[in-house]
């Protein structure tokens, strides 16, 4: 939506580059596929993963379009969904990374072919590091932190949480050879007897299982471990009784 940073920035980017912006009054999967065939035909699309999931779930057998790129935003796109989207539309799919406080943070290049699961590419105009609660590092695992000209300085009436000038995103991830892979949220974790479990990674594992359409991981109280892992699964239609 246009009140989100992604909607604002992608709209401005298209207009500044001399492109055309096509705005729909509301989202409807069948209308979306019809709009792809109307003039002027869109050449790239930007949407949240939930929108792309609905498009995949309701895709016609043959999709007529001229999309060269489909870019995600608002939330981390599951690797399985990215691959399904690429298979359905036969085009480039870019799982990108940004937040209201810093848009963009990272993006794969146009040559990316979903080779690395969970990858959101390299930093775009910002210095990206990981914070492991002890030190800032160029690579390794920890909380993603960013620093740059388009990183927010302050909220209205509240301070921005930074470490040595780097904004703490609250996202957990890994940086290897400059490439960022997201693993979940720093506060969206399950502490099972001292073992930190990422619900995002659990969900990803189940989403790769045959017959699983959707999966949600959550914390449950446990007398022994204090916190334990719960999982709710929605099966594909042909596996339901």
């Amino acid at each position: 939506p246009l009140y989100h940073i992604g909607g604002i920035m992608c709209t401005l980017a298209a207009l500044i580059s001399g492109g055309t912006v096509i705005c729909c009054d509301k989202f409807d999967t069948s209308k979306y596929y019809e709009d792809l065939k109307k003039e002027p035909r869109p050449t790239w699309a930007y949407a949240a993963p939930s929108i792309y999931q609905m498009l995949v779930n309701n895709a016609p057998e043959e999709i007529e379009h001229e999309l060269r790129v489909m870019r995600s935003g608002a939330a981390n796109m599951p690797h399985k969904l990215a691959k399904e989207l690429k298979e359905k539309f036969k085009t480039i799919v870019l799982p990108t990374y940004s937040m209201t406080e810093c848009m963009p943070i990272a993006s794969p290049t146009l040559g990316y072919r979903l080779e690395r699961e969970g990858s959101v590419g390299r930093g775009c105009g910002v210095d990206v590091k990981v914070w492991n609660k002890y030190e800032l590092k160029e690579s390794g695992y920890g909380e993603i932190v960013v620093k740059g000209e388009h990183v927010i300085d302050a909220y209205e009436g509240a301070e921005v949480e930074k470490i040595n000038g780097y904004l703490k995103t609250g996202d957990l991830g890994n940086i290897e050879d400059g490439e960022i892979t997201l693993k979940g949220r720093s506060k969206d974790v399950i502490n099972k007897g001292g073992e930190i479990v990422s619900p995002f990674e659990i969900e990803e594992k189940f989403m790769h299982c045959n017959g699983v359409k959707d999966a949600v991981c959550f914390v449950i109280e446990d007398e022994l471990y204090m916190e334990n892992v719960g999982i709710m699964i929605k099966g594909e239609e042909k596996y339901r009784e």
Side-chain angles (χ1 to χ4, degrees), residues 8-222:
I8 295 171
M9 295 302 292
C10 288
T11 298
L12 289 176
L15 294 175
I16 291 172
S17 66
T20 300
V21 177
I22 302 171
C23 297
C24 304
D25 53 354
K26 63 178 182 179
F27 176 72
D28 178 87
T29 52
S30 58
K31 189 175 185 300
Y32 186 95
Y33 284 113
E34 287 300 316
D35 288 343
L36 290 179
K37 297 183 286 186
K38 295 179 181 178
E39 298 292 341
R41 293 199 174 194
T43 55
W44 72 282
Y46 172 74
S50 56
I51 296 294
Y52 284 140
Q53 186 66 68
M54 286 187 277
L55 290 174
V56 168
N57 292 345
N58 297 278
E61 290 189 11
E62 296 291 332
I63 304 175
E64 184 180 337
H65 72 90
E66 295 181 9
L67 294 174
R68 299 196 300 266
V69 178
M70 300 185 80
R71 180 182 182 276
S72 71
N76 189 28
M77 176 183 279
H79 191 66
K80 180 181 178 183
L81 173 58
K83 292 177 68 176
E84 289 175 338
L85 200 63
K86 186 176 186 298
E87 182 180 343
K88 292 285 185 182
F89 283 83
K90 305 294 190 296
T91 192
I92 298 170
V93 175
L94 300 180
T96 67
Y97 177 35
S98 61
M99 57 193 301
T100 300
E101 293 85 349
C102 180
M103 167 71 184
I105 294 178
S107 174
T109 64
L110 289 175
Y112 180 55
R113 296 296 181 266
L114 304 176
E115 302 95 336
R116 182 175 292 184
E117 184 169 337
S119 174
V120 291
R122 297 173 179 270
C124 298
V126 290
D127 185 16
V128 185
K129 287 184 170 59
V130 289
W131 168 249
N132 64 4
K133 295 186 178 181
Y134 300 101
E135 60 180 336
L136 290 170
K137 301 181 67 176
E138 298 282 348
S139 61
Y141 179 81
E143 181 177 354
I144 303 296
V145 295
V146 294
K147 182 180 181 180
E149 291 296 325
H150 62 276
V151 177
I152 191 173
D153 290 322
Y155 298 112
E156 184 175 357
E159 294 184 358
V160 174
E161 188 177 5
K162 292 187 177 182
I163 182 75
N164 294 341
Y166 285 79
L167 173 72
K168 299 180 71 176
T169 65
D171 296 310
L172 296 175
N174 188 72
I175 301 180
E176 183 179 344
D177 297 327
E179 193 164 339
I180 305 164
T181 302
L182 297 180
K183 299 292 185 180
R185 293 285 295 171
S186 61
K187 296 180 180 178
D188 185 17
V189 294
I190 300 171
N191 191 338
K192 181 184 176 183
E195 180 183 3
I196 303 301
V197 179
S198 168
F200 175 78
E201 291 188 11
I202 300 294
E203 292 166 354
E204 280 283 283
K205 292 294 184 183
F206 274 92
M207 289 296 288
H208 285 292
C209 296
N210 291 333
V212 175
K213 186 174 183 180
D214 204 359
V216 176
C217 182
F218 52 92
V219 61
I220 56 176
E221 294 184 2
D222 189 290

